Amino acid sequence: MSERTGTSPRVAIVTGGSRGIGRETAERLAADGYAVVVDYAGNQAEADKVVAAITAAGGEALALRADVADETAMADLFDTVEARFGGVDVVVHAAGVMTLAPLADLDLDALDRMHRTNVRGTFVVGQQAVRRLRAGGALINFSSSVLGLAIPGYSGYAATKGAVEAMTLIVAREMRGRDVTVNVVAPGPTATALYLDGKDEETIARAAAQPPLERLGTPGDIAGVVSFLAGPDGRWVNGQVLRANGGVI
């Protein structure tokens, strides 16, 4: 159960909640009983679809637009959530961008964009989360299993996710005495638009054959891991990186 009391549900913010893993996570947490805030960067239509789906299933959701790397926008988002729902219990930072190229060829503007969203964004969202999460809460950031796979072409993206893992494990220790868990989910190849974009069928088939389970992950696979970390059964998991990748590494 995610209920704080008989009438007051726990509240979750999901960044990047309009598509892919973020969307699946928002819908899963809503099914778990959370009131869910869907943060989105620019695609209001997709965010509204998530809210509509949650509402149609009997849940409670709200879509809010905020750039995860903009400290003022994120502070305003958290203010709005606290005013609407009374507090925040779970923050899932699923927003991210990825550009692939060998290090020698990676456009530095693309590197800066990844750094802004993936590193600065994690820091900005994390600052608001650690200041505001209620006791019994959870902060869940996203990395990637490519850190361990060392796949050519991923140097810029993997570098940003290495930073995410480093800061998250430190924040877990900085939260001593607050009764708030802080963890990282690191998916392997997962069938989302972010992962599939620009890849040919051969590349996708090769990735699907890597895990012993012989398939790509699904957004639902990852949302289930987030649900575990956010809920009561995950309370003794803290300061960890969970590599949800079907056994690739």
Side-chain angles (χ1 to χ4, degrees):
M1 291 291 291
S2 66
E3 296 286 325
R4 292 183 64 84
T5 69
T7 59
S8 177
R10 283 163 59 87
V11 179
I13 296 172
V14 181
T15 72
S18 65
R19 300 178 65 193
I21 291 172
R23 175 174 184 161
E24 193 75 22
T25 296
E27 294 184 4
R28 173 60 185 267
L29 292 179
D32 289 345
Y34 293 81
V36 177
V37 176
V38 178
D39 166 69
Y40 66 98
N43 197 329
Q44 182 176 349
E46 289 300 314
D48 287 343
K49 287 180 184 178
V50 181
V51 171
I54 290 172
T55 303
E60 184 175 11
L62 173 68
L64 293 174
R65 181 175 182 174
D67 176 357
V68 295
D70 183 329
E71 64 272 29
T72 300
M74 288 311 301
D76 288 347
L77 181 144
F78 274 77
D79 285 344
T80 300
V81 175
E82 289 180 333
R84 170 72 177 268
F85 297 107
V88 181
D89 300 288
V90 173
V91 174
V92 181
H93 179 43
V97 297
M98 179 172 67
T99 300
L100 302 182
L103 184 145
D105 303 324
L106 182 63
D107 181 83
L108 292 181
D109 286 340
L111 178 64
D112 288 344
R113 286 193 295 273
M114 285 192 288
H115 188 278
R116 185 178 190 278
T117 298
N118 299 352
V119 179
R120 179 185 170 89
T122 300
F123 201 97
V124 168
V125 172
Q127 280 191 327
Q128 293 301 320
V130 301
R131 293 168 180 169
R132 305 191 194 222
L133 280 167
R134 295 188 282 207
L139 169 61
I140 302 163
N141 287 326
F142 269 78
S143 177
S144 171
S145 286
V146 299
L147 265 69
L149 294 172
I151 302 171
Y154 281 83
S155 59
Y157 179 71
T160 67
K161 293 305 185 178
V164 170
E165 292 191 10
M167 74 174 80
T168 303
L169 301 190
I170 291 169
V171 170
R173 287 145 182 82
E174 292 177 346
M175 294 296 282
R176 177 179 291 274
R178 290 277 305 279
D179 189 24
V180 170
T181 62
V182 186
N183 292 290
V184 180
V185 177
T190 305
T192 65
L194 179 68
Y195 176 76
L196 297 175
D197 184 42
K199 293 182 174 67
D200 58 32
E201 291 185 9
E202 180 181 355
T203 300
I204 294 170
R206 188 164 57 249
Q210 285 184 308
L213 298 177
E214 295 187 326
R215 65 174 176 85
L216 294 178
T218 69
D221 292 328
I222 311 306
V225 176
V226 174
S227 173
F228 165 72
L229 291 174
D233 290 339
R235 294 305 301 167
W236 197 235
V237 181
N238 189 31
Q240 304 299 317
V241 178
L242 272 66
R243 303 207 180 281
N245 57 31
V248 175
I249 56 173

